[in-house]
């Protein structure tokens, strides 16, 4: 532990980036990330075994009043007799085939992948020297993260990863309130340690503060992931914005960015809730998006299901159409989408997850030029349907109309994606109307041609002061339809 802390200090002392926000503001979003637009998140771990409710099973099974508490007793027995640790031998991952995963994710059209390295439950999905409770020594007895990295990179996908370790400070704490297997004394390296009382999740000053022992452990664990697996981007979940993490987080980011320079890579940290100083990493929005385009680059993380990040037996799945519409909207506003799937405990990808990924991939094969390598246009959107800004706003699918259109640009082309293509094939793009007053900053270019991605029909089009009117006869689609508008 202390030897590693010395290494961390030495790297920062000798490196370009120092552990202060002024230095870390020299960060730049990697160019590949801004071009990639679409990535895959993977929540898979011990919490996948019970297949109940959501990925917070390790907390909820010890929280009286939560459905998982009673479910656990009825299904597995009292928590004192069968605790969360007893799921580890059941997590055999006998069907886990990283090459098959990588091929499917490549087929989805994703360009980068974030397998979760460690979730709130404290089980490391990789080979570790910090704790014996890891997938290499227990459960599957495989270096899951390492195998996935190798398979993903063979398919040309960029390897990234995430740590949700911060929340483990309190995640098992409720297990101390009654007779369970979460018992003192607990010490560093134990699976349940430290199991502290649960704070107010949103209070940045909530007590009990994470102590130095836990914060050092968090820092070293994360640096081990950086050094052993060299992720191109590192993602943190919400609780690292607590004030106690701030000096350790600065140190972690400086260490990571300096290591990236050593590798010849621009790396990045995705963060939520102003955990990092603005401009020193990539802004992350959970299960939501911005209503308007932003001058900074950002990412939304969402999932194929509304009610869980991991596989359960009661998933409320989105449709691929809904996800594609969200992807288009996010990209038009200067963002990326990170879409989560949840494999089953045996390592198989659920059929519905796989089908959704394949359908997204089929759409991107045809329309990808309107997504990848694009930039925002002077307008991101037009139409009556208003996007809700903020986190956790994806509970219901939007009902888009023929007038809801999103824009991107690349080269000499403006791409206009009609989110709900009309049966009569008639579309008016108001943002491309002829300019009546040249002093008003509207589009004042010359349209050379209009074509439709994925369709042979040549649309009839004309432009006047009302907009660019487009008419098709044979184009039918349940998915968004993209017009490629070439400028002279």
């Amino acid at each position: 532990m202390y030897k590693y802390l010395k290494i961390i200090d030495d790297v920062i002392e000798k490196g370009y980036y120092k552990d202060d926000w002024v230095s870390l503001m020299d960060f730049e979003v990697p160019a590949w990330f801004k071009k990639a637009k679409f990535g895959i998140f993977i929540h898979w771990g011990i919490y996948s075994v019970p297949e109940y409710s959501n990925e917070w099973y390790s907390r909820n099974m010890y929280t009286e009043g939560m459905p998982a508490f009673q479910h656990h007793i009825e299904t597995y027995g009292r928590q004192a007799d069968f605790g969360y640790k007893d799921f580890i031998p059941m997590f055999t991952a006998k069907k886990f085939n990283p090459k098959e995963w990588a091929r499917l994710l490549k087929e989805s059209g994703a360009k980068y992948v974030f397998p979760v390295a460690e979730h709130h439950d404290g089980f490391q999905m990789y080979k570790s020297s910090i704790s014996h409770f890891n997938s290499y020594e227990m459960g599957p007895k495989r270096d899951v993260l390492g195998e996935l990295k190798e398979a993903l990179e063979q398919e040309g996908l960029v390897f990234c990863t995430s740590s949700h370790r911060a929340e483990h400070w309190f995640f098992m704490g409720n297990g101390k309130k009654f007779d369970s297997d979460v018992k003192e004394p607990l010490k560093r390296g134990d699976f349940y340690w430290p199991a502290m009382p649960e704070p107010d999740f949103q209070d940045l000053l909530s007590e009990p503060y994470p102590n130095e022992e836990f914060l050092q452990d968090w820092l070293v664990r994360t640096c081990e992931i950086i050094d052993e697996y060299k992720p191109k981007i590192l993602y943190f979940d919400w609780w690292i914005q607590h004030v106690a993490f701030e000096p350790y987080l600065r140190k972690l980011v400086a260490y990571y960015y300096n290591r990236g320079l050593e590798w010849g890579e621009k790396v990045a940290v995705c963060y939520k809730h102003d955990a990092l100083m603005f401009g020193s990493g990539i802004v992350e929005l959970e299960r939501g998006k911005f209503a308007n385009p932003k001058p900074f680059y950002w990412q939304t993380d969402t999932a194929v299901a509304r009610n869980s990040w991991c596989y359960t037996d009661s998933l409320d799945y989105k449709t691929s159409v809904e996800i594609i519409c969200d992807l288009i909207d996010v990209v038009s506003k200067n963002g990326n989408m990170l879409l989560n799937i949840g494999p089953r405990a045996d390592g198989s990808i659920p059929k519905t997850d796989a089908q959704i990924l394949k359908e997204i991939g089929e759409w991107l094969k045809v329309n990808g030029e309107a997504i990848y390598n694009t930039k925002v246009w002077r307008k991101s959107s037009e139409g009556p349907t208003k996007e809700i800004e903020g986190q956790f706003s994806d509970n219901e699918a939007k009902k888009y109309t023929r007038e809801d259109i999103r824009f991107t640009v690349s080269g000499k082309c403006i791409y206009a994606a009609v989110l709900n293509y009309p049966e009569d094939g008639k579309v008016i793009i108001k943002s491309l109307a002829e300019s009546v007053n040249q002093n008003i900053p509207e589009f004042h270019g010359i349209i050379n041609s209009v074509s439709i991605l994925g369709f042979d029909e040549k649309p009839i089009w004309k432009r006047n002061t009302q907009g660019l009117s487009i008419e098709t006869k044979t184009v039918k689609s349940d998915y968004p339809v993209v017009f490629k508008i070439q400028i002279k």
Side-chain angles (χ1 to χ4, degrees):
M1 170 69 74
Y2 297 106
K3 182 180 179 181
Y4 213 134
L5 291 172
K6 178 66 166 58
I7 291 171
I8 294 167
D9 287 339
D10 288 345
V11 168
I12 295 170
E13 182 180 353
K14 296 173 184 176
Y16 175 80
Y17 290 99
K18 306 305 177 186
D19 58 339
D20 64 72
W21 295 123
V22 173
S23 176
L24 297 173
M25 287 285 284
D26 278 351
F27 162 83
E28 293 181 359
V29 178
W32 72 262
F33 181 78
K34 293 192 286 187
K35 295 177 180 180
K37 309 300 183 185
F38 180 46
I40 298 294
F41 214 176
I42 305 174
H43 276 67
W44 187 49
I46 304 303
Y47 45 83
S48 305
V49 175
E51 297 188 352
Y52 183 82
S53 185
N54 58 41
E55 73 288 349
W56 277 36
Y57 192 91
S58 59
R59 169 193 177 267
N60 297 343
M61 65 169 279
Y62 294 110
T63 305
E64 294 188 73
M66 294 295 295
F69 182 91
Q70 190 61 35
H71 168 83
H72 188 85
I73 294 171
E74 294 173 356
T75 309
Y76 303 103
R78 294 170 60 252
Q79 289 84 343
D81 302 320
F82 188 105
Y84 188 70
K85 68 180 185 306
D86 297 302
F87 285 118
I88 296 175
M90 301 169 67
F91 185 50
T92 60
K94 60 184 179 182
K95 295 183 180 179
F96 172 50
N97 186 325
K99 291 184 178 180
E100 287 184 1
W101 283 27
R103 284 193 292 268
L104 173 63
L105 301 183
K106 178 80 170 180
E107 189 179 352
S108 76
K111 300 298 183 182
Y112 57 100
V113 183
F114 278 80
V116 172
E118 181 180 346
H119 205 253
H120 314 326
D121 65 351
F123 188 78
Q124 297 166 290
M125 297 291 287
Y126 56 94
K127 184 178 180 180
S128 175
S129 63
I130 307 298
S131 170
H132 295 298
F133 290 91
N134 66 75
S135 67
Y136 186 76
E137 297 184 52
M138 296 183 177
K141 297 188 177 178
R142 297 171 66 174
D143 181 1
V144 170
L145 202 65
E147 290 185 38
L148 274 173
K149 174 183 167 69
E150 181 179 358
L152 293 168
E153 291 180 344
Q154 286 177 354
E155 290 291 340
L157 298 168
V158 179
F159 171 79
C160 311
T161 194
S162 72
S163 170
H164 308 238
R165 173 72 184 178
E167 293 84 350
H168 194 68
W169 170 252
F170 58 82
F171 221 60
M172 304 296 196
N174 290 332
K176 292 180 178 178
K177 295 180 178 180
F178 66 103
D179 184 21
S180 82
D181 66 330
V182 183
K183 297 180 183 295
E184 296 288 8
L186 296 172
K187 62 182 185 300
R188 178 190 287 154
D190 286 346
F191 187 35
Y192 295 151
W193 175 84
M196 297 302 290
E198 192 169 285
D200 178 343
F201 297 156
Q202 304 306 322
D203 184 354
L204 304 186
L205 301 170
S206 60
E207 302 219 8
Y209 271 39
N211 60 26
E212 184 179 46
E213 184 182 29
F214 178 78
L215 292 165
Q216 287 180 346
D217 179 84
W218 173 86
L219 177 62
V220 169
R221 280 177 184 248
T222 314
C223 288
E224 182 184 49
I225 294 170
I226 290 167
D227 288 335
E228 297 300 322
Y229 298 94
K230 296 180 172 61
K232 298 296 191 299
I233 300 182
L234 194 57
Y235 167 109
F236 291 113
D237 207 352
W238 91 99
W239 206 59
I240 57 161
Q241 82 270 19
H242 190 284
V243 66
F245 278 91
E246 199 265 348
Y248 296 86
L249 188 56
R250 280 191 280 108
K251 187 169 287 192
L252 183 281
V253 177
Y255 181 80
Y256 181 38
Y257 287 0
N258 283 320
R259 283 301 201 203
L261 292 178
E262 292 177 15
W263 309 333
E265 298 278 357
K266 284 186 177 179
V267 296
V269 169
C270 293
Y271 70 96
K272 302 175 183 177
H273 302 292
D274 293 300
L276 271 61
M277 189 62 192
F278 187 85
S280 61
I282 298 171
V283 173
E284 190 80 22
L285 207 60
E286 182 175 355
R287 287 191 177 275
K289 46 191 173 178
F290 291 110
N292 300 298
K294 296 299 177 184
F296 55 88
Y297 216 81
W298 59 283
Q299 179 172 255
T300 180
D301 54 283
T302 187
V304 294
R306 289 181 175 81
N307 56 337
S308 178
W309 292 89
C310 76
Y311 180 78
T312 74
D313 60 6
S314 58
L315 292 177
D316 177 14
Y317 279 105
K318 301 175 184 176
T319 66
S320 57
V321 174
E322 178 184 351
I323 294 167
I324 290 168
C325 286
D326 281 340
L327 172 62
I328 294 168
D329 183 71
V330 165
V331 171
S332 77
K333 293 170 181 170
N334 212 26
N336 279 24
M337 174 185 279
L338 184 62
L339 179 68
N340 182 75
I341 61 168
R344 301 192 71 168
D346 64 6
S348 60
I349 304 293
K351 290 181 179 179
T352 305
D353 293 53
Q355 185 61 34
I356 288 171
L357 293 180
K358 289 175 181 178
E359 289 170 359
I360 294 170
E362 287 298 316
W363 187 89
L364 283 168
K365 282 179 186 176
V366 173
N367 299 281
E369 66 180 271
I371 300 295
Y372 308 123
N373 306 314
T374 59
K375 292 187 175 181
V376 295
W377 190 46
R378 63 197 310 161
K379 288 186 176 181
S380 68
S381 62
E382 66 177 51
T385 306
K386 302 302 180 185
E387 300 293 343
I388 300 172
E389 179 153 329
Q391 297 191 103
F392 305 105
S393 59
D394 67 349
N395 292 329
E396 295 182 4
K398 291 281 191 305
K399 294 182 179 179
Y400 293 108
T401 72
R402 69 170 70 202
E403 298 174 67
D404 288 304
I405 300 169
R406 302 293 182 265
F407 302 101
T408 57
V409 293
S410 181
K412 292 281 287 182
C413 297
I414 299 170
Y415 295 93
V418 182
L419 300 185
N420 186 353
Y421 200 72
E423 284 289 326
D424 62 11
K426 295 178 181 179
V427 173
I428 298 176
I429 304 176
K430 296 176 182 178
S431 298
L432 292 172
E434 288 183 345
S435 215
V436 177
N437 184 344
Q438 295 180 20
N439 294 325
I440 297 176
E442 295 290 346
F443 177 70
H444 196 59
I446 300 171
I447 295 176
N448 190 45
S449 65
V450 178
S451 59
I452 316 163
L453 298 185
F455 294 90
D456 295 329
E457 181 182 349
K458 294 181 179 180
I460 299 169
W461 61 274
K462 63 180 180 180
R463 187 173 172 226
N464 55 33
T465 57
Q466 303 303 308
L468 174 64
S469 297
I470 304 173
E471 185 173 350
T472 62
K473 300 295 184 183
T474 61
V475 175
K476 306 291 181 185
S477 179
D478 294 327
Y479 289 85
V481 171
V482 180
F483 289 108
K484 181 178 181 178
I485 300 156
Q486 191 163 16
I487 308 304
K488 187 177 284 290

